[in-house]
Amino acid sequence: MVAARSVKHTLRGVTLTLTLAALLLGGIVASAVLGQLPVSPAEVGGSLLRALGIQNEWAPTDSIVESTLWVVRFPRIAMALVVGAALAVAGAVMQAIFGNPLAEPGVVGVSSGAALGAAIAIVVGVAALGDGAIALFAFVGGLLATLLVYFVSRANGRTEVVTLLLTGIAVNAFAGAGLAFLLFVADSGSREQIVFWQLGSLNGSRWSEVLIVALVTAVGLTAAIVLARPFDLLALGERNARHLGVNVERLRIVSIVIVALLTGVAVAFVGIIAFVGLVVPHAMRMAIGPAHRPLIVASAIGGGVLLVLSDLLARSVVAGGDLPIGLLTSLVGGPFFFYLLFRQRRQSGGWA
């Protein structure tokens, strides 16, 4: 019986790995090929091989095609991969520490707090110091929002669903009001940047920005993987976790910093992209089970795949247009959130 279950679990893992790999490869190639300037898959592969020092006959000879790939499309694809991974891992960590399937950076206001921090950096002129300054302000905004949600929604040693959602509504409303005020007092250039943050978009991504997001995401992902074992023990209940040697409060504080770090750096450069941290960890959990180490790794890959495909759709659904990617993820995540909400209600017998 145990052996059969192990084989079934292994098959699920292999199937998931192959599916994600196929979707990722297909999404990357399609994103590099499609656009106003047509590029063939052979030119994409040839350009990548030439960048690795392998001369070949498929590489594009037109400098415009080469520039389009390396200045516009490849940075955008890379940004989609790292931002999707950051948001999905942040969602998996939030659900682990809150012990609640509805926790997600966008739903509980962490993304809005980070966007408000980034908007303040723009309006007061700190953004002129560089991309790192915006990321720092976004991190502080996300951290304050996460701490607020954590302390308000905790009562009698557990997190209440209703309080969690209401706190998220309040934080989102406050951040929305703050953004509206900044829009009112800002100049026209700052207004355009703030609107960009509210809608979310990967358009205009640069390699320097990708590098910052990738480094922070690598640190956050590594920390989350290291904490996977304590997360598993916390899933047994706080009392059991403490008996097994887990310092629950310290684990939660460290996890909050990780969530704020991942969400803040993502929001700082691409704006608010909601529901990635909600949809992806649940989809991965249904496929491979609740153990956190494989779940966090699979969520990172799945988040990247989701954003690459969403960005491809955003660039393709309207001819010659570039829809905000946050709009598309909300269209998918909204109905999924309702499904989780009603399932949570059915399982717990109420909203508390």
Side-chain angles (χ1 to χ4, degrees), residues 1-351:
M1 182 69 178
V2 175
R5 188 178 301 171
S6 177
V7 171
K8 186 178 179 181
H9 184 75
T10 303
L11 286 176
R12 280 187 174 184
V14 172
T15 303
L16 178 67
T17 302
L18 293 175
T19 303
L20 288 178
L23 288 173
L24 183 61
L25 182 61
I28 290 175
V29 172
S31 294
V33 169
L34 297 178
Q36 294 184 356
L37 179 66
V39 180
S40 69
E43 288 178 314
V44 174
S47 182
L48 288 172
L49 289 174
R50 185 163 62 188
L52 295 173
I54 303 173
Q55 297 300 323
N56 61 89
E57 61 183 11
W58 304 298
T61 55
D62 190 340
S63 60
I64 296 178
V65 173
E66 188 77 354
S67 297
T68 300
L69 286 176
W70 287 98
V71 177
V72 179
R73 295 185 187 174
F74 286 161
R76 186 165 180 157
I77 294 170
M79 183 65 91
L81 287 172
V82 293
V83 167
L87 294 176
V89 171
V93 171
M94 281 201 80
Q95 289 162 20
I97 61 173
F98 281 107
N100 195 298
L102 301 176
E104 193 263 345
V107 174
V108 300
V110 182
S111 296
S112 297
L116 180 59
I120 292 173
I122 294 170
V123 173
V124 301
V126 178
L129 299 177
D131 296 334
I134 300 178
L136 178 61
F137 270 67
F139 165 71
V140 173
L143 179 63
L144 292 176
T146 313
L147 289 172
L148 179 63
V149 169
Y150 172 69
F151 286 113
V152 172
S153 62
R154 296 282 296 170
N156 300 321
R158 69 190 185 96
T159 306
E160 297 176 342
V161 176
V162 173
T163 311
L164 177 71
L165 296 179
L166 291 178
T167 306
I169 291 171
V171 171
N172 278 321
F174 178 80
L179 287 169
F181 175 75
L182 292 174
L183 280 170
F184 183 77
V185 300
D187 55 37
S188 58
S190 298
R191 284 195 194 102
E192 291 180 4
Q193 283 186 278
I194 295 173
V195 171
F196 162 83
W197 259 278
Q198 288 178 295
L199 297 176
S201 175
L202 297 169
N203 190 16
S205 297
R206 294 175 293 171
W207 283 116
S208 59
E209 299 171 346
V210 173
L211 180 62
I212 294 174
V213 181
L215 289 174
V216 174
T217 301
V219 172
L221 176 61
T222 303
I225 292 174
V226 170
L227 295 175
R229 178 64 177 165
F231 289 153
D232 289 338
L233 297 177
L234 186 60
L236 302 174
E238 286 191 26
R239 180 175 298 178
N240 291 331
R242 286 195 179 94
H243 285 314
L244 292 170
V246 178
N247 187 329
V248 175
E249 291 308 313
R250 187 172 65 185
L251 174 64
R252 286 201 166 107
I253 294 297
V254 172
S255 300
I256 285 171
V257 174
I258 294 172
V259 169
L261 201 62
L262 291 170
T263 308
V265 77
V267 171
F269 296 108
V270 303
I272 299 175
I273 301 177
F275 293 113
V276 176
L278 180 72
V279 174
V280 176
H282 276 287
M284 298 301 113
R285 194 178 289 112
M286 286 188 285
I288 61 174
H292 280 90
R293 184 157 296 160
L295 174 65
I296 289 169
V297 175
S299 295
I301 300 172
V305 171
L306 177 63
L307 271 206
V308 168
L309 296 178
S310 298
D311 184 53
L312 175 63
L313 191 62
R315 293 193 293 118
S316 309
V317 71
V318 177
D322 194 344
L323 291 178
I325 192 172
L327 184 152
L328 292 177
T329 58
S330 296
L331 284 176
V332 175
F336 192 76
F337 179 74
F338 285 132
Y339 160 73
L340 290 176
L341 198 61
F342 283 102
R343 192 181 72 166
Q344 175 83 3
R345 180 190 184 190
R346 188 172 62 250
Q347 290 178 345
S348 62
W351 293 110

